[in-house]
Amino acid sequence: TQQLLSGRAPRSKPFRVTNADRSVKKGIMADTLDDLMDKVSDSFGVQCVSALVLDEDGTGVDMEEFFQTLTENTVLMVLEKGEKWTQHPNSPSRGQL
Amino acid sequence: TQQLLSGRAPRSKPFRVTNADRSVKKGIMADTLDDLMDKVSDSFGVQCVSALVLDEDGTGVDMEEFFQTLTENTVLMVLEKGEKWTQHPNSPSRGQL
């Protein structure tokens, strides 16, 4: 269905999306950043997504090209207005590495 | 040693770029240092980028050839005029390595 031959059409990939306090995490398929934004908005009941960031280090995912480099099952965090990314409590601080 | 087959065209790579106080980090694709400078300038709304440095140790990235040696998802810091790199608060001091 995805135009295998044409090459250009991005392939749907699974992502894991969590909310800002990490109380909910959902698996969501998306082929573009806009597509993911739409689905996250629906799925989390967030009217206006302020940002999608990488759960691991808070890197903002604004650009389609960067989004396309993410691997399957990358964990993203959806931020609503006023919310901020915080480090995962269980992640090793750099000092412990 | 570079020019494999396609030769001149550098391949786009993902980078993670943070501002001087590390309050914002964004994923940005770029193929050359100039390209990254332009995109950082747009994305962060910085009119004049004073420097791009490595987040880990403040190494200035001025030269295209050095830029090309950076691996995917290297974290860079954008500095505006008057801003300086500071060590990451969670980074291990050298003594602990």
Side-chain angles (χ1 to χ4, degrees):
Chain A
T1 60
Q2 283 288 343
Q3 293 155 287
L4 295 173
L5 293 175
S6 78
R8 288 245 40 98
R11 214 166 45 85
S12 262
K13 278 193 293 203
F15 295 93
R16 302 185 185 187
V17 183
T18 179
N19 57 354
D21 65 6
R22 296 187 176 89
S23 60
V24 178
K25 198 189 278 180
K26 300 188 185 202
I28 296 179
M29 295 291 291
D31 55 6
T32 64
L33 182 54
D34 279 350
D35 184 31
L36 184 60
M37 287 280 201
D38 286 348
K39 287 172 177 167
V40 164
S41 177
D42 288 351
S43 182
F44 282 82
V46 175
Q47 288 252 319
C48 184
V49 173
S50 164
L52 276 179
V53 303
L54 297 183
D55 182 54
E56 62 179 273
D57 68 355
T59 298
V61 182
D62 304 344
M63 293 190 185
E64 179 63 33
E65 279 185 296
F66 182 78
F67 172 78
Q68 291 296 336
T69 69
L70 300 178
T71 56
E72 296 195 354
N73 292 306
T74 293
V75 185
L76 294 155
M77 177 181 283
V78 54
L79 298 177
E80 295 186 64
K81 199 176 167 187
E83 291 179 336
K84 287 187 86 169
W85 174 85
T86 52
Q87 185 137 41
H88 198 290
N90 294 338
S91 76
S93 79
R94 289 190 184 192
Q96 293 174 300
L97 285 178
Chain B
T1 58
Q2 293 289 340
Q3 297 145 287
L4 293 174
L5 283 174
S6 68
R8 293 250 34 104
R11 214 167 45 86
S12 263
K13 278 192 293 204
F15 296 92
R16 300 183 187 188
V17 182
T18 180
N19 57 354
D21 66 4
R22 297 188 176 88
S23 60
V24 178
K25 196 189 281 180
K26 299 187 187 204
I28 296 179
M29 295 288 292
D31 55 5
T32 64
L33 182 55
D34 279 350
D35 184 31
L36 184 61
M37 288 280 199
D38 286 348
K39 287 173 177 167
V40 163
S41 177
D42 288 351
S43 184
F44 283 82
V46 175
Q47 289 252 318
C48 184
V49 173
S50 162
L52 276 178
V53 302
L54 297 183
D55 180 55
E56 62 179 277
D57 68 355
T59 298
V61 182
D62 305 342
M63 295 192 183
E64 180 61 33
E65 281 185 293
F66 181 77
F67 172 78
Q68 290 297 336
T69 69
L70 300 177
T71 55
E72 296 195 353
N73 293 306
T74 293
V75 184
L76 294 156
M77 177 181 284
V78 54
L79 298 177
E80 295 185 65
K81 199 176 167 186
E83 291 179 336
K84 289 186 87 169
W85 174 85
T86 52
Q87 183 136 42
H88 197 290
N90 294 337
S91 76
S93 77
R94 289 191 185 194
Q96 293 174 300
L97 285 178

